[in-house]
Amino acid sequence: MKLENLLDSELSGRSEMPWEHAQERYAEVGVDANTAIDRALQTPISVHCWQADDVVGLEVHDEATDSGGLQATGNYPGRASTGDQIRADFEMAASLIPGELRFNLHAMYAETGGETVDRDELRPEHFETWIDWCDEHGWGMDFNPTCFAHPMVRDGMTLSSADEDVQSFWIRHCIASREVARAIGQRLGPAACNIWIPDGRKDATVDRLGPRERLMEALDEVLDEKMPAVIDTVESKLFGIGVEDYTVGSHEFYLLYACSRKCGICFDMGHYHPTEGIADKISAALQFVSPVLIHASRGVRWDSDHVTRFNDDLRAVCDEAVRSGRFDEILWATDFFDASINRIAAWVIGERSLRKALLWAMLEPGDLAREAEYAGNGHAKLALQELRADLPFAAVWEELCRRADVPGGLAWLTEIERYEREVLSDRM
Ligand code: RNT
Ligand code: ZN
């Protein structure tokens, strides 16, 4: 079978098992597959806008800017370069992603109608087109200040800079961003406003305390005003390209900050040591901090932003979120960018994999496993974990896609190829 024949075939990789049979198999192990589908579909996933254009944004800078340690590699044709193109591409992607979506925008995607508006002067009106568009489609929205790729990033520093002009510029930008998030929240329902900064040093850092003290003070200023329509979160990172030795906003820094200031924490799956997962952090953090925002991503060696896949790491995160019993305090967002493949396909693969992992977690025979654990029956617990791979998951996923009116199996790939031919090829 050749790929093109498979895509043309009626099944194209879809499950043939009748949904009713699958439902019965899950019922035997105490799982209501119907409820799992509903829950998985109703869990909002906040889709990052920056996959569309390799984190370039819509601003024009005359001066050179610092990438802030983010690297989108590759030059696959068809990159979106206007707000309209990003919106069109996302509409395409969204038609192939099952379940409730939100749209996650960065400040660098302001639309100022040709006027130069610096980041510390952004206002909600510069995002009106985005907000109207999300409203029209019934998508919630989230927001992020953009503290990178800008001439005011000096010596790799923003909020933690020792240069008062630099630091106050970024404080004003973050406050302006919270105002935008508030406007979004008031219109579309509470909006997450996630702060990530690139601040750090390449090598042999001597002063590790000073920048952290300045970051703490800057954040306190940024978050000073209570905004009920805004869900504030802070995101740590271990290192970035060119920022290998020291990151001001480390895991410990932000976890303690969030705990003491009562804001949310963001765990990005690609932001820890290569073998360190975030799954086990969820139940620990939730004792002290809420909400927990997940940035679903995939680290590969030095890169923290490969397209999310339905792999062990993602399943572990979703399992823990469901098992914690505090699923409502967990917010789901994606964060990856790959410029070497069709960007819309990257979106679809990444978002579908997260939805799939959520469904997988919701289909765990969790009551039986918990019973075995508390009865000291470790082997039964292991056997139940193994059983998950024997249950007809594909048929339930298929049913989820059917209910959401999106193609199952590989059929969505045909749509992407058509869009590439008809729309993306004109962008070269
Ligand atoms: C960077 C962080 C951050 C960014 C976006 C663009 O390492 O993960 O979330 O990816 O804000
Ligand atoms: Zn992230």
Side-chain angles (χ1 to χ4, degrees):
M1 174 76 93
K2 285 240 197 303
L3 179 60
E4 56 182 305
N5 301 338
L6 176 64
L7 294 182
D8 283 343
S9 82
E10 212 187 300
L11 272 179
S12 64
R14 289 176 9 234
S15 159
E16 253 191 314
M17 184 189 230
W19 146 247
E20 290 71 24
H21 290 194
Q23 202 177 2
E24 280 163 26
R25 292 286 315 279
Y26 277 98
E28 276 166 23
V29 289
V31 175
D32 182 344
N34 206 36
T35 308
I37 292 180
D38 286 345
R39 251 184 112 194
L41 282 174
Q42 284 159 13
T43 304
I45 297 177
S46 190
V47 183
H48 57 306
C49 70
W50 50 97
Q51 163 57 36
D53 74 332
D54 316 335
V55 214
V56 172
L58 301 176
E59 306 158 309
V60 188
H61 298 294
D62 303 330
E63 296 166 67
T65 63
D66 188 314
S67 79
L70 303 179
Q71 292 280 328
T73 50
N75 54 0
Y76 197 85
R79 185 180 77 79
S81 58
T82 65
D84 285 340
Q85 290 180 350
I86 296 173
R87 284 184 285 272
D89 289 0
F90 184 68
E91 286 174 23
M92 180 65 214
S95 73
L96 303 172
I97 303 166
E100 187 171 338
L101 301 181
R102 303 172 63 81
F103 194 71
N104 196 9
L105 198 66
H106 242 282
M108 69 187 337
Y109 294 85
E111 288 172 302
T112 57
E115 195 196 328
T116 310
V117 181
D118 213 344
R119 290 197 193 156
D120 60 338
E121 285 172 346
L122 287 170
R123 286 186 308 274
E125 69 212 52
H126 302 124
F127 298 92
E128 222 158 71
T129 312
W130 291 111
I131 301 173
D132 289 343
W133 173 70
C134 285
D135 195 11
E136 236 168 76
H137 289 272
W139 299 320
M141 234 182 123
D142 298 304
F143 198 73
N144 309 260
T146 309
C147 302
F148 52 88
H150 189 281
M152 279 301 264
V153 181
R154 297 275 170 79
D155 300 320
M157 299 291 190
T158 64
L159 285 179
S160 70
S161 175
D163 178 330
E164 265 180 45
D165 288 343
V166 173
Q167 189 191 38
S168 64
F169 174 85
W170 292 108
I171 291 175
R172 288 194 305 278
H173 171 58
C174 288
I175 292 174
S177 294
R178 287 186 80 221
E179 290 292 354
V180 175
R182 166 151 65 186
I184 293 170
Q186 285 168 347
R187 172 104 174 259
L188 305 175
C193 185
N194 180 54
I195 299 180
W196 173 77
I197 60 166
D199 300 31
R201 293 197 191 280
K202 185 185 176 84
D203 207 1
T205 308
V206 177
D207 182 15
R208 289 179 177 259
L209 193 130
R212 288 186 172 139
E213 191 170 28
R214 289 190 291 272
L215 176 56
M216 177 185 72
E217 287 164 3
L219 287 171
D220 282 349
E221 221 177 304
V222 169
L223 299 176
D224 185 49
E225 190 183 343
K226 293 271 161 293
M227 295 191 183
V230 179
I231 303 165
D232 293 293
T233 58
V234 286
E235 176 182 8
S236 72
K237 194 169 181 174
L238 182 63
F239 80 98
I241 300 300
V243 198
E244 289 85 0
D245 180 62
Y246 169 67
T247 294
V248 183
S250 61
H251 175 65
E252 291 78 4
F253 176 90
Y254 279 129
L255 195 56
L256 292 164
Y257 186 86
C259 183
S260 58
R261 303 314 197 259
K262 309 229 170 314
C263 69
I265 187 86
C266 170
F267 294 147
D268 183 306
M269 291 175 66
H271 285 193
Y272 297 84
H273 285 274
T275 58
E276 181 182 2
I278 66 160
D280 187 49
K281 300 184 194 305
I282 295 171
S283 56
L286 279 177
Q287 308 300 330
F288 307 100
V289 175
S290 183
V292 171
L293 167 65
I294 307 286
H295 267 191
S297 188
R298 180 164 55 99
V300 176
R301 305 194 190 278
W302 61 264
D303 181 43
S304 61
D305 302 293
H306 271 53
V307 178
T308 312
R309 293 187 57 192
F310 182 70
N311 62 6
D312 287 349
D313 289 337
L314 188 62
R315 286 197 296 269
V317 170
C318 293
D319 276 355
E320 275 307 308
V322 171
R323 291 168 182 170
S324 74
R326 290 172 65 176
F327 195 75
D328 293 347
E329 292 171 70
I330 298 166
L331 306 174
W332 299 92
T334 49
D335 183 8
F336 51 79
F337 31 94
D338 189 336
S340 75
I341 56 179
N342 181 302
R343 295 171 184 78
I344 302 163
W347 246 336
V348 175
I349 292 166
E351 309 304 329
R352 281 173 75 114
S353 75
L354 175 54
R355 185 75 67 200
K356 208 181 276 182
L358 287 167
L359 178 67
W360 175 263
M362 286 161 185
L363 288 170
E364 179 180 30
D367 292 345
L368 292 179
R370 200 173 279 259
E371 185 190 323
E373 181 158 283
Y374 276 94
N377 193 345
H379 51 273
K381 192 171 61 171
L382 269 178
L384 280 163
Q385 294 299 315
E386 289 299 299
L387 181 75
R388 296 173 76 182
D390 308 340
L391 292 166
F393 176 72
V396 183
W397 169 250
E398 190 73 22
E399 174 66 9
L400 177 147
C401 289
R402 198 192 58 77
R403 288 189 196 176
D405 204 19
V406 305
L410 276 179
W412 61 267
L413 213 43
T414 317
E415 298 292 309
I416 299 277
E417 285 179 357
R418 186 186 50 76
Y419 191 78
E420 184 166 302
R421 273 194 316 276
E422 291 174 6
V423 181
L424 300 184
S425 62
D426 284 344
R427 290 189 192 160
M428 277 147 225

mmCIF file of all heavy atoms in Angstrom, residues 50 55 70 106 144 148 194 196 235 237 268 271 295 304-305 335 337, ligand 1:
data_model
loop_
_atom_site.group_PDB
_atom_site.id
_atom_site.type_symbol
_atom_site.label_atom_id
_atom_site.label_comp_id
_atom_site.label_asym_id
_atom_site.label_seq_id
_atom_site.Cartn_x
_atom_site.Cartn_y
_atom_site.Cartn_z
ATOM 1 N N TRP A 50 1.604 31.040 17.634
ATOM 2 C CA TRP A 50 2.939 31.189 17.057
ATOM 3 C C TRP A 50 3.435 29.997 16.246
ATOM 4 O O TRP A 50 4.487 30.071 15.638
ATOM 5 C CB TRP A 50 3.953 31.605 18.124
ATOM 6 C CG TRP A 50 3.991 30.810 19.403
ATOM 7 C CD1 TRP A 50 4.846 29.781 19.693
ATOM 8 C CD2 TRP A 50 3.195 31.010 20.579
ATOM 9 N NE1 TRP A 50 4.611 29.325 20.976
ATOM 10 C CE2 TRP A 50 3.611 30.051 21.543
ATOM 11 C CE3 TRP A 50 2.160 31.887 20.936
ATOM 12 C CZ2 TRP A 50 3.046 29.944 22.817
ATOM 13 C CZ3 TRP A 50 1.596 31.780 22.201
ATOM 14 C CH2 TRP A 50 2.033 30.830 23.119
ATOM 15 N N VAL A 55 7.062 31.961 15.253
ATOM 16 C CA VAL A 55 7.265 32.966 16.308
ATOM 17 C C VAL A 55 7.878 34.265 15.776
ATOM 18 O O VAL A 55 8.726 34.874 16.418
ATOM 19 C CB VAL A 55 8.165 32.443 17.473
ATOM 20 C CG1 VAL A 55 7.731 33.040 18.808
ATOM 21 C CG2 VAL A 55 8.172 30.933 17.595
ATOM 22 N N LEU A 70 14.867 31.284 21.742
ATOM 23 C CA LEU A 70 13.897 30.469 20.997
ATOM 24 C C LEU A 70 14.409 30.283 19.575
ATOM 25 O O LEU A 70 14.803 31.235 18.930
ATOM 26 C CB LEU A 70 12.535 31.181 20.921
ATOM 27 C CG LEU A 70 11.868 31.573 22.229
ATOM 28 C CD1 LEU A 70 10.549 32.274 21.954
ATOM 29 C CD2 LEU A 70 11.654 30.362 23.098
ATOM 30 N N HIS A 106 0.096 36.093 21.352
ATOM 31 C CA HIS A 106 1.234 36.806 21.922
ATOM 32 C C HIS A 106 1.112 38.276 21.560
ATOM 33 O O HIS A 106 0.585 38.625 20.502
ATOM 34 C CB HIS A 106 2.544 36.253 21.339
ATOM 35 C CG HIS A 106 3.444 35.656 22.366
ATOM 36 N ND1 HIS A 106 4.213 36.416 23.202
ATOM 37 C CD2 HIS A 106 3.674 34.370 22.711
ATOM 38 C CE1 HIS A 106 4.898 35.613 24.010
ATOM 39 N NE2 HIS A 106 4.591 34.366 23.734
ATOM 40 N N ASN A 144 -0.318 36.574 26.073
ATOM 41 C CA ASN A 144 1.050 36.544 26.606
ATOM 42 C C ASN A 144 1.788 37.830 26.264
ATOM 43 O O ASN A 144 1.809 38.222 25.092
ATOM 44 C CB ASN A 144 1.869 35.426 25.946
ATOM 45 C CG ASN A 144 1.171 34.083 25.979
ATOM 46 O OD1 ASN A 144 1.483 33.248 26.813
ATOM 47 N ND2 ASN A 144 0.215 33.861 25.068
ATOM 48 N N PHE A 148 10.612 39.164 24.268
ATOM 49 C CA PHE A 148 11.784 38.726 23.495
ATOM 50 C C PHE A 148 11.631 39.307 22.099
ATOM 51 O O PHE A 148 10.605 39.917 21.789
ATOM 52 C CB PHE A 148 11.881 37.188 23.450
ATOM 53 C CG PHE A 148 10.619 36.500 23.002
ATOM 54 C CD1 PHE A 148 10.371 36.263 21.650
ATOM 55 C CD2 PHE A 148 9.659 36.100 23.920
ATOM 56 C CE1 PHE A 148 9.207 35.643 21.226
ATOM 57 C CE2 PHE A 148 8.485 35.472 23.505
ATOM 58 C CZ PHE A 148 8.257 35.241 22.156
ATOM 59 N N ASN A 194 0.069 34.712 30.578
ATOM 60 C CA ASN A 194 1.241 33.939 31.001
ATOM 61 C C ASN A 194 2.531 34.709 30.744
ATOM 62 O O ASN A 194 2.789 35.136 29.629
ATOM 63 C CB ASN A 194 1.272 32.611 30.228
ATOM 64 C CG ASN A 194 2.467 31.765 30.608
ATOM 65 O OD1 ASN A 194 2.692 31.487 31.785
ATOM 66 N ND2 ASN A 194 3.245 31.359 29.619
ATOM 67 N N TRP A 196 6.414 34.722 30.424
ATOM 68 C CA TRP A 196 7.697 34.038 30.278
ATOM 69 C C TRP A 196 8.714 35.067 29.795
ATOM 70 O O TRP A 196 8.405 35.868 28.916
ATOM 71 C CB TRP A 196 7.612 32.897 29.244
ATOM 72 C CG TRP A 196 8.972 32.327 28.981
ATOM 73 C CD1 TRP A 196 9.673 31.476 29.787
ATOM 74 C CD2 TRP A 196 9.834 32.624 27.874
ATOM 75 N NE1 TRP A 196 10.912 31.230 29.253
ATOM 76 C CE2 TRP A 196 11.043 31.909 28.079
ATOM 77 C CE3 TRP A 196 9.716 33.427 26.728
ATOM 78 C CZ2 TRP A 196 12.111 31.975 27.184
ATOM 79 C CZ3 TRP A 196 10.784 33.498 25.834
ATOM 80 C CH2 TRP A 196 11.958 32.765 26.060
ATOM 81 N N GLU A 235 5.967 31.296 33.969
ATOM 82 C CA GLU A 235 6.547 30.100 33.337
ATOM 83 C C GLU A 235 8.069 30.081 33.449
ATOM 84 O O GLU A 235 8.746 30.998 33.006
ATOM 85 C CB GLU A 235 6.134 30.071 31.856
ATOM 86 C CG GLU A 235 6.754 28.930 31.072
ATOM 87 C CD GLU A 235 6.370 28.946 29.588
ATOM 88 O OE1 GLU A 235 5.734 29.936 29.136
ATOM 89 O OE2 GLU A 235 6.706 27.985 28.884
ATOM 90 N N LYS A 237 12.005 28.150 32.987
ATOM 91 C CA LYS A 237 12.749 27.424 31.959
ATOM 92 C C LYS A 237 14.126 27.083 32.504
ATOM 93 O O LYS A 237 14.640 27.787 33.372
ATOM 94 C CB LYS A 237 12.874 28.306 30.717
ATOM 95 C CG LYS A 237 13.326 27.568 29.477
ATOM 96 C CD LYS A 237 13.154 28.454 28.243
ATOM 97 C CE LYS A 237 13.569 27.715 26.983
ATOM 98 N NZ LYS A 237 13.277 28.477 25.774
ATOM 99 N N ASP A 268 5.991 24.023 31.457
ATOM 100 C CA ASP A 268 6.184 23.677 30.043
ATOM 101 C C ASP A 268 6.958 22.360 29.986
ATOM 102 O O ASP A 268 8.030 22.232 30.594
ATOM 103 C CB ASP A 268 6.962 24.811 29.347
ATOM 104 C CG ASP A 268 7.141 24.587 27.856
ATOM 105 O OD1 ASP A 268 7.650 23.508 27.474
ATOM 106 O OD2 ASP A 268 6.803 25.489 27.064
ATOM 107 N N HIS A 271 10.823 22.323 29.431
ATOM 108 C CA HIS A 271 11.641 23.289 30.166
ATOM 109 C C HIS A 271 12.389 22.729 31.364
ATOM 110 O O HIS A 271 12.720 23.463 32.290
ATOM 111 C CB HIS A 271 10.767 24.462 30.618
ATOM 112 C CG HIS A 271 10.434 25.390 29.500
ATOM 113 N ND1 HIS A 271 9.886 26.626 29.687
ATOM 114 C CD2 HIS A 271 10.591 25.258 28.163
ATOM 115 C CE1 HIS A 271 9.705 27.220 28.522
ATOM 116 N NE2 HIS A 271 10.116 26.400 27.583
ATOM 117 N N HIS A 295 1.960 23.762 29.477
ATOM 118 C CA HIS A 295 2.361 24.008 28.094
ATOM 119 C C HIS A 295 2.779 22.660 27.534
ATOM 120 O O HIS A 295 3.870 22.159 27.830
ATOM 121 C CB HIS A 295 3.543 24.990 28.013
ATOM 122 C CG HIS A 295 3.100 26.409 27.836
ATOM 123 N ND1 HIS A 295 3.956 27.429 27.519
ATOM 124 C CD2 HIS A 295 1.869 26.968 27.900
ATOM 125 C CE1 HIS A 295 3.273 28.554 27.410
ATOM 126 N NE2 HIS A 295 1.999 28.315 27.637
ATOM 127 N N SER A 304 13.273 22.623 23.091
ATOM 128 C CA SER A 304 12.169 22.380 24.017
ATOM 129 C C SER A 304 10.828 22.440 23.316
ATOM 130 O O SER A 304 9.793 22.362 23.963
ATOM 131 C CB SER A 304 12.206 23.419 25.137
ATOM 132 O OG SER A 304 12.064 24.716 24.606
ATOM 133 N N ASP A 305 10.816 22.574 21.996
ATOM 134 C CA ASP A 305 9.566 22.928 21.326
ATOM 135 C C ASP A 305 9.193 22.060 20.131
ATOM 136 O O ASP A 305 8.608 22.557 19.171
ATOM 137 C CB ASP A 305 9.631 24.389 20.865
ATOM 138 C CG ASP A 305 9.872 25.340 22.024
ATOM 139 O OD1 ASP A 305 8.974 25.458 22.868
ATOM 140 O OD2 ASP A 305 10.953 25.928 22.096
ATOM 141 N N ASP A 335 2.494 24.453 23.126
ATOM 142 C CA ASP A 335 3.594 25.367 22.851
ATOM 143 C C ASP A 335 4.688 24.608 22.099
ATOM 144 O O ASP A 335 5.524 23.960 22.701
ATOM 145 C CB ASP A 335 4.138 25.930 24.175
ATOM 146 C CG ASP A 335 5.253 26.946 23.936
ATOM 147 O OD1 ASP A 335 5.482 27.313 22.766
ATOM 148 O OD2 ASP A 335 5.904 27.356 24.920
ATOM 149 N N PHE A 337 6.830 24.732 17.959
ATOM 150 C CA PHE A 337 6.901 25.358 16.631
ATOM 151 C C PHE A 337 7.933 24.631 15.809
ATOM 152 O O PHE A 337 9.037 24.379 16.239
ATOM 153 C CB PHE A 337 7.206 26.855 16.700
ATOM 154 C CG PHE A 337 8.048 27.286 17.857
ATOM 155 C CD1 PHE A 337 9.421 27.399 17.733
ATOM 156 C CD2 PHE A 337 7.451 27.585 19.077
ATOM 157 C CE1 PHE A 337 10.210 27.801 18.806
ATOM 158 C CE2 PHE A 337 8.234 27.981 20.155
ATOM 159 C CZ PHE A 337 9.611 28.090 20.024
HETATM 160 C C1 RNT B 1 9.635 29.739 25.735
HETATM 161 C C2 RNT B 1 8.344 29.492 26.440
HETATM 162 C C3 RNT B 1 7.241 30.351 25.986
HETATM 163 C C4 RNT B 1 7.314 30.580 24.501
HETATM 164 C C5 RNT B 1 6.184 31.350 23.970
HETATM 165 C C6 RNT B 1 6.466 31.860 22.609
HETATM 166 O O1 RNT B 1 10.559 28.791 25.972
HETATM 167 O O2 RNT B 1 7.963 28.162 26.345
HETATM 168 O O3 RNT B 1 6.034 29.853 26.391
HETATM 169 O O4 RNT B 1 7.437 29.382 23.801
HETATM 170 O O5 RNT B 1 5.832 32.302 24.877
#
